[in-house]
Amino acid sequence: MKILYAGFLGTGHSAGYRTRALERLGHEVVRFEVGGYQAGNALLRKVEFRLTMGTQVARLNADLLQVAREEKPDVFWADKVLKLRPATLKAMRAMGITTVSYMIDNAFGPRRDPGWRLYVKCVPYFDLHVTQRDVSVRDYLERGAKNVIKIQTAFEPTLQYPPAAGWSDKDRDREISFLGTPYDNRATMLARLGAAGLPVTVSGSETAWTRALSREAKAQIFYSDLLYDDLYREAIWKSKINISFLTRANLDEYTHKSFEIAGCGGFLLAERCPGHAAKFVEDQEAVFFEGVEELEAKVRQYLPDEAARARIGAAGRARAVRDGYDNDTQLGLVMERVAAIRGAR
């Protein structure tokens, strides 16, 4: 099919990885970058984001419809596009275009981020919603969604793969590693590990981690700003232990990072939950923890045991490949549903 794909498609954004997967599946993808539709003034950008109204919202919707008229796609795919208007989706449907919303975040969860006003209004007008959690399936249906499919977040096989044979601890310069944002109580837990004398390294938005950590804790555990693409993969390779937290404020069942770490063949130490337990066999394909005491205990157990870490990392990678935790498999499921929706019209 021909797919008009709108989202943040630049370096480090997973939406760009999904466009690659759709092309590998044989589809033609017309990319529409939404990142440029922001006010030039910082204060106006904040207001625009919170209220989802203004000249940039109007411009984005007009430009999308113009591209749709010119390209005549079969499918319009919105990857967390919060400035869409219901009228735009209705106009696309009148053109015979099947509309898909792919949303990793939770518009209806307790985190209560701003910016969802228009998105919530658009829910009944998409032909298909793609989500990663059971609670969101219910939320979409209660708000008038026509079709909802649950898949999982996935690793990108062209970027997230194991290191060359022979890689070992002699190649690793990160001991206990976390790559990401300080949601929930992550900063407190990681700072406690550092205070206990454990060699923790954190990479992520320096602005966010500066707000989340004391000056002393930041000096002790903060390692680098955000890492993307090859640098992100290499950080996983160079880490003896890769920690993966749930985003509990999103009511997540598992986390994107867990599948990326497994895809890279890294040793995965993930927060214990039913979702992770369904995807990996505990202590064979990943190691789980619940709370900071167990996190510290598992770190102390596995940090000196290179053989166990290597065995578990390899088994986690094998499980991720065998059971289709990759973009191609997961997006293939979405496109099967899209084909069925189009066939039923």
Side-chain angles (χ1 to χ4, degrees):
M1 300 183 203
K2 188 174 186 179
I3 303 169
L4 173 55
Y5 198 111
F8 290 91
L9 306 176
T11 299
H13 288 287
S14 60
Y17 306 159
R18 288 185 278 277
T19 64
R20 300 184 198 181
L22 289 168
E23 288 176 331
R24 290 194 297 269
L25 292 169
H27 304 288
E28 179 185 354
V29 178
V30 178
R31 290 168 171 80
F32 186 100
E33 172 60 60
V34 303
Y37 291 86
Q38 298 182 28
N41 178 280
L43 177 59
L44 285 177
R45 282 199 299 273
K46 289 182 180 179
V47 172
E48 189 177 72
F49 176 68
R50 288 182 173 276
L51 302 180
T52 51
M53 60 176 57
T55 57
Q56 297 303 315
V57 172
R59 188 167 71 91
L60 179 141
N61 283 269
D63 288 355
L64 268 174
L65 284 175
Q66 181 62 31
V67 173
R69 293 186 191 101
E70 293 171 356
E71 295 289 345
K72 298 179 173 57
D74 304 297
V75 178
F76 169 63
W77 185 303
D79 196 316
K80 196 179 179 181
V81 182
L82 302 184
K83 295 177 180 177
L84 281 173
R85 291 170 169 167
T88 300
L89 296 172
K90 289 190 279 188
M92 288 191 179
R93 184 174 180 81
M95 291 184 232
I97 300 170
T98 303
T99 56
V100 176
S101 169
Y102 184 100
M103 182 57 69
I104 290 178
D105 287 336
N106 188 348
F108 314 108
R111 203 165 83 185
R112 299 300 180 193
D113 289 340
W116 294 106
R117 184 186 69 85
L118 274 181
Y119 180 80
V120 171
K121 289 185 175 183
C122 284
V123 167
Y125 300 101
F126 279 105
D127 293 302
L128 177 64
H129 288 272
V130 184
T131 183
Q132 63 164 339
R133 59 187 73 78
D134 287 330
V135 67
S136 293
V137 174
R138 182 199 67 203
D139 288 336
Y140 281 118
L141 292 174
E142 287 179 350
R143 287 164 175 81
K146 299 180 182 69
N147 293 283
V148 187
I149 182 173
K150 179 191 175 187
I151 63 165
Q152 66 176 68
T153 44
F155 72 92
E156 171 50 41
T158 64
L159 281 172
Q160 290 144 8
Y161 49 80
W167 193 278
S168 70
D169 278 2
K170 64 179 173 55
D171 304 296
R172 298 186 175 103
D173 58 7
R174 299 176 68 127
E175 303 283 314
I176 307 154
S177 179
F178 177 70
L179 312 172
T181 52
Y183 289 134
D184 301 331
N185 63 340
R186 298 171 186 179
T188 300
M189 295 178 74
L190 294 170
R192 177 166 165 178
L193 293 185
L198 291 165
V200 178
T201 54
V202 169
S203 291
S205 166
E206 184 166 6
T207 301
W209 283 100
T210 298
R211 287 197 299 262
L213 294 169
S214 68
R215 182 178 301 177
E216 295 77 12
K218 185 190 174 191
Q220 186 172 44
I221 72 173
F222 188 78
Y223 186 79
S224 72
D225 211 327
L226 293 162
L227 300 173
Y228 298 117
D229 296 347
D230 292 344
L231 292 177
Y232 179 80
R233 177 189 66 247
E234 289 165 7
I236 294 172
W237 289 354
K238 292 179 179 180
S239 302
K240 294 180 181 178
I241 292 176
N242 289 280
I243 298 175
S244 182
F245 294 100
L246 287 175
T247 305
R248 294 192 176 275
N250 260 351
L251 304 179
D252 284 349
E253 299 172 15
Y254 33 67
T255 179
H256 199 172
K257 195 173 308 299
S258 295
F259 304 120
E260 294 174 328
I261 293 168
C264 292
F267 175 79
L268 171 61
L269 179 54
E271 199 163 354
R272 182 181 286 106
C273 61
H276 278 142
K279 300 296 179 181
F280 299 102
V281 178
E282 185 169 6
D283 297 332
Q284 297 181 31
E285 298 166 342
V287 173
F288 301 146
F289 69 91
E290 184 174 356
V292 68
E293 290 81 9
E294 188 175 16
L295 172 59
E296 181 177 342
K298 292 296 176 69
V299 163
R300 292 189 184 280
Q301 176 183 348
Y302 283 100
L303 194 58
D305 194 345
E306 181 178 3
R309 287 188 277 105
R311 181 179 67 252
I312 292 168
R317 161 72 186 182
R319 174 70 181 274
V321 172
R322 186 187 76 231
D323 284 8
Y325 301 167
D326 59 283
N327 274 330
D328 299 53
T329 300
Q330 297 302 315
L331 297 191
L333 297 173
V334 176
M335 292 310 296
E336 286 177 7
R337 179 68 70 86
V338 169
I341 290 169
R342 290 180 62 81
R345 282 186 172 177

